[in-house]
Amino acid sequence: MIDLNNLPKGHFINEAINEDLKQGKNNHKVHTRFPPEPNGYLHIGHAKSICLNFGTAKEYGGLCNLRFDDTNPAKEEEEFILAIQDNVRWLGFDWDDRLFFASDYFEQLYEYACQLIKKGLAYVCDLTQEQMRQMRGTPTEAGQLSPYASRTVEENLRLFAEMRDGKFADGEKVLRARIDMASSNFNMRDPVLYRIQRNEHPRTGNKWCIYPMYDYAHPLSDAIEGITHSICTLEFENHRPLYEWVLNNLDVPCKSRQIEFARLNITYTVMSKRKLRRLVEEGFVAGWDDPRMPTLAGMRRRGYTAPAIRNFCEKIGVAKANSTVEIEMLEYCIREDLNKIAPRKMAVLDPLKVTLINYPAGQTEMLNAENNPEQPEDGSRKLPFSREIYIERTDFMEEPVKGFHRLTVGGEVRLKHAYIIKCEEVIKNADGEVSELLCSCDMSSRSGMEGANRKIKGTIHWVEANSALPAEVRLYDRLFTKENPDEQEEGKDFTDYLNPDSLKVLTDSLVEASCALCTGQSSCQFLRHGYFVTDTDSKANKLIFNRIVSLKDSWGKKQG
């Protein structure tokens, strides 16, 4: 039982629901739904809606359904249905036994349409799309009533039944609501309720050749399921009068209340399903789960965690006005989560060989290294160390620039968890490139050794030559170079702003031996490089790591 004296607070949606509860609407119940169309994969914008709908129901001790708006079979596929269910579960939500499809209600929706016809509120129209557009009017001029709006109830019922029976070609006739061609809201100027469309449906096959429009099917699906609050994004605000018109003119079991909130926009990203589909179909990315995509499947493969995404959705809050969130905020949330849970590893992305000339040949010792300094309870691991190691090529400069505190000829640097070394000699190949460094090792400077804390400005990471594992490392970056790719200059397409450096593949990288235990999708922090995760293509004999995010955090610093 909901305690009316202790209702959740926080934003305008809470206020609207609280008002309904205090007035005793819907028997003091809260029942929401998440209604995706299965015409693509869910993206980070959908995550906000998922968290809001499922989260609101939980706040009020209510229920939330998962319902597929499968009313356009031309673009819908079983693959998308399964992927959406998987993504919602992965994000941390469950609909229990409340999985529904708009197609479950096709027969009821047809009967409701017949009721509207009988009330003189719907008619079969023969105008083409172009003719309807021309007769729709302008913002300052009323539209023209269709010449077919005067058909009798009997004629409309017969024609609508014949539409269902497949007696007309696609586009030959539609069923329209009869509302008000002079309305200031274009959605109320006799909108189409049904169209003829011969496409095999993923669930109903070829049983139907007429399909309801979203603005008709959605309010009735809500009503049939007993949805009390239909929470949707702001672009549906102008559709709300039609939503209410449908419910108010039919005898439905529940009259849901539509509430709109601002959709999520993120810099350097596109959220349009149409545009995301183009990226996939035109080969700009490797698929819906490409780690550069803002799809949940892509972010999951990239290594983003469900708690980080939920935290992000909570931080951005719920607003009435559209705005754009900095992508740095999303990156901050994943760093914040991974910093606590990701074990530290050492990986050399561009290896340069180092031989420690005074270290005993044939000797290998095991050095101690903490797994996560943020979580001491995670313990430590053993790192093999020997005469031959590899360091990052960028950690050495023959002629160092000002402020360079890593390895130079005659200079010293500390190896993380190991010793202080000094470069004695540089070996180059026939092309004049540095191929190996000969270094001396201060045998009294091992980390943890008594008296070994000699001050050295630079500390670098490394891997031991004999035990290091080869790995492919994929460095992902933002997909677009423009902050708002949707704002296109004249003659430009959003794809003109794709970042040519959004993916760099390094095939000769080396990782410490313990990375062999990174099975499935295991995330870790490669010291000094960022957070990484094993890719779904990674195998025991071919390790593949995706960069989730770098270590640099500009957003968190700005907030501080």
Side-chain angles (χ1 to χ4, degrees), residues 67-219:
R67 182 210 312 139
F68 287 95
D69 169 44
D70 55 342
T71 56
N72 185 7
K75 296 182 179 180
E76 295 161 3
E77 299 176 21
E78 184 69 18
E79 173 192 351
F80 300 142
I81 292 172
L82 297 175
I84 289 170
Q85 292 181 65
D86 181 51
N87 286 163
V88 174
R89 282 199 184 97
W90 171 75
L91 203 53
F93 302 99
D94 202 339
W95 50 90
D96 299 319
D97 60 347
R98 297 179 308 282
L99 173 63
F100 302 109
F101 295 81
S103 57
D104 294 338
Y105 315 127
F106 278 175
E107 195 66 50
Q108 289 167 277
L109 298 181
Y110 178 83
E111 291 302 323
Y112 277 131
C114 290
Q115 288 182 31
L116 290 176
I117 292 173
K118 291 174 183 176
K119 290 184 174 185
L121 297 175
Y123 61 93
V124 174
C125 183
D126 295 7
L127 294 177
T128 65
Q129 278 190 328
E130 178 59 24
Q131 288 170 328
M132 280 190 280
R133 188 190 66 78
Q134 291 175 355
M135 296 177 66
R136 201 179 182 196
T138 69
T140 57
E141 295 179 354
Q144 302 172 52
L145 189 64
S146 167
Y148 302 101
S150 59
R151 281 173 165 158
T152 64
V153 167
E154 291 73 24
E155 186 179 9
N156 282 316
L157 286 172
R158 176 180 60 79
L159 289 172
F160 189 44
E162 290 176 352
M163 285 171 60
R164 174 178 180 168
D165 292 340
K167 293 187 177 180
F168 306 110
D170 289 13
E172 188 176 344
K173 296 182 188 299
V174 295
L175 181 71
R176 296 176 71 179
R178 185 164 185 174
I179 307 179
D180 180 6
M181 289 302 293
S183 173
S184 59
N185 187 332
F186 272 52
N187 294 304
M188 301 296 281
R189 294 187 181 183
D190 289 13
V192 174
L193 303 181
Y194 270 87
R195 77 282 199 196
I196 303 171
Q197 186 176 326
R198 285 175 174 79
N199 288 101
E200 186 170 345
H201 191 280
R203 300 187 74 247
T204 61
N206 294 307
K207 180 179 179 181
W208 294 85
C209 65
I210 57 169
Y211 290 97
M213 302 298 289
Y214 177 86
D215 280 344
Y216 171 73
H218 189 72

Side-chain angles (χ1 to χ4, degrees), residues 375-478:
Q375 302 288 341
E377 63 273 20
D378 288 350
S380 60
R381 67 195 187 282
K382 295 296 184 180
L383 293 175
F385 185 85
S386 67
R387 181 183 175 89
E388 293 183 351
I389 62 171
Y390 286 94
I391 66 169
E392 206 68 60
R393 186 169 292 277
T394 53
D395 281 339
F396 172 76
M397 288 186 76
E398 275 191 281
E399 298 178 8
V401 296
K402 186 178 179 180
F404 185 81
H405 297 306
R406 284 161 281 170
L407 195 58
T408 62
V409 178
E412 290 184 312
V413 72
R414 174 171 286 284
L415 299 176
K416 181 72 173 175
H417 304 307
Y419 296 90
I420 295 171
I421 64 172
K422 179 180 180 181
C423 181
E424 306 289 355
E425 185 180 344
V426 178
I427 297 176
K428 298 183 179 181
N429 61 21
D431 296 324
E433 298 171 336
V434 176
S435 59
E436 185 179 355
L437 302 178
L438 302 182
C439 298
S440 58
C441 178
D442 180 352
M443 300 299 290
S444 66
S445 65
R446 189 183 69 208
S447 296
M449 182 183 291
E450 187 176 345
N453 295 326
R454 183 156 61 89
K455 287 190 176 180
I456 297 293
K457 283 189 175 180
T459 300
I460 64 174
H461 63 279
W462 53 277
V463 292
E464 195 267 333
N466 297 315
S467 61
L469 302 174
E472 178 180 303
V473 175
R474 299 171 180 175
L475 301 178
Y476 290 101
D477 205 342
R478 293 167 186 172

